[in-house]
Amino acid sequence: MHRKKKLPPAGEFTADIIDLDHEGRGFARVDGKATFIADALPGERVRFKYLRTSRDLDEGQCIAVETPSPHRVTPGCTHFGLCGGCSMQHLASEQQIAFKQKQMLDQLERSGKVTPIEIAAPITGAVWGYRRRARLGAKHVPKKGRTLVGFRERDPRFVADLSRCEVLHPTLGLKLDALGALLNSLEGAAAIPQIEFAAGDDTRALVFRHLQPLAQADLDKLSA
């Protein structure tokens, strides 16, 4: 006999965020229990809903910020919250760097028992359009008459329906719609689940994974 899965509590709840976890989720203790809340920042008081509960920890989604962090910013991408490619666009860029440095130092100490004597200043670059390598999902959706190209949603079962990506190199990030339209025109559109992208200073490369041989007409379109 299978035991019925327990549903998470319904309604809204309040939490005070005290830290970030390695995935960029806010960490709180709600009634003494570790609770990880997406899109919440340290120092904030937020309202959230539960997504999943277990014996040792709970997971939730921030739905309103009652007391905002001074480091909270407006995400620069309209797809933030749906797309799983970014998790910290609501945090100021310099604070993202500080968070990543802290995560690295914590891992060195925890896993390697290493404490650096001196820490160099982080090397930083452009905030947007900096990502030169990526692996994107592709999904032909006959009901929509479209082929989606993008990162996975936060729910990794689905490919996010993206029109553009602000962190990808603009030679691809601004052309996701065009790439999706190209794939949709192929006879073998449903056979392409994944695209890898790499950009150098003067050269770009796209690698299309396909689950069955493509027709010559499709190969000609991709080459063109």
Side-chain angles (χ1 to χ4, degrees):
M1 180 178 177
H2 294 287
R3 182 178 298 176
K4 187 176 181 179
K5 187 175 181 180
K6 185 179 178 181
L7 296 174
E12 297 183 6
F13 301 84
T14 302
D16 293 312
I17 309 302
I18 57 179
D19 203 353
L20 290 174
D21 76 345
H22 68 282
E23 296 180 10
R25 299 177 298 180
F27 172 74
R29 288 202 175 273
V30 180
D31 297 329
K33 190 175 183 182
T35 306
F36 299 91
I37 303 173
D39 302 334
L41 297 174
E44 294 187 331
R45 171 171 283 240
V46 302
R47 296 202 308 274
F48 74 97
K49 64 179 181 180
Y50 282 98
L51 300 178
R52 286 171 287 277
T53 60
S54 66
R55 183 176 63 181
D56 299 321
L57 60 89
D58 295 335
E59 298 176 72
Q61 171 64 52
C62 174
I63 56 177
V65 179
E66 295 185 351
T67 306
S69 164
H71 305 304
R72 177 175 283 274
V73 297
T74 301
C77 178
T78 58
H79 301 296
F80 180 76
L82 170 70
C83 177
C86 297
S87 61
M88 293 193 297
Q89 281 192 24
H90 58 310
L91 179 62
S93 58
E94 67 275 7
Q95 293 299 314
Q96 293 183 37
I97 297 296
F99 164 75
K100 292 173 183 178
Q101 177 173 295
K102 178 178 180 296
Q103 290 290 308
M104 182 188 68
L105 295 176
D106 288 348
Q107 286 293 333
L108 285 173
E109 184 173 351
R110 185 183 305 113
S111 302
K113 309 300 181 186
V114 174
T115 302
I117 297 174
E118 183 178 352
I119 301 173
I123 299 173
T124 60
V127 175
W128 303 109
Y130 62 85
R131 187 165 177 179
R132 289 172 171 261
R133 297 187 65 184
R135 179 177 296 167
L136 303 174
K139 178 67 175 179
H140 182 59
V141 186
K143 289 183 179 180
K144 292 185 176 182
R146 297 177 57 210
T147 298
L148 309 182
V149 175
F151 292 103
R152 293 280 169 179
E153 292 185 6
R154 289 187 175 182
D155 182 338
R157 294 174 299 170
F158 305 105
V159 174
D161 187 356
L162 306 184
S163 60
R164 57 192 285 159
C165 174
E166 306 297 341
V167 300
L168 278 177
H169 193 278
T171 53
L172 180 65
L174 303 183
K175 298 179 180 179
L176 295 183
D177 270 345
L179 183 56
L182 169 62
L183 294 189
N184 202 54
S185 73
L186 302 182
E187 180 183 325
I192 299 177
Q194 184 177 289
I195 304 165
E196 293 197 32
F197 168 71
D201 290 337
D202 303 310
T203 306
R204 266 71 63 188
L206 291 168
V207 179
F208 297 85
R209 179 186 177 200
H210 49 97
L211 303 180
Q212 62 188 39
L214 297 178
Q216 186 59 49
D218 286 355
L219 296 175
D220 291 343
K221 286 183 178 181
L222 293 176
S223 296

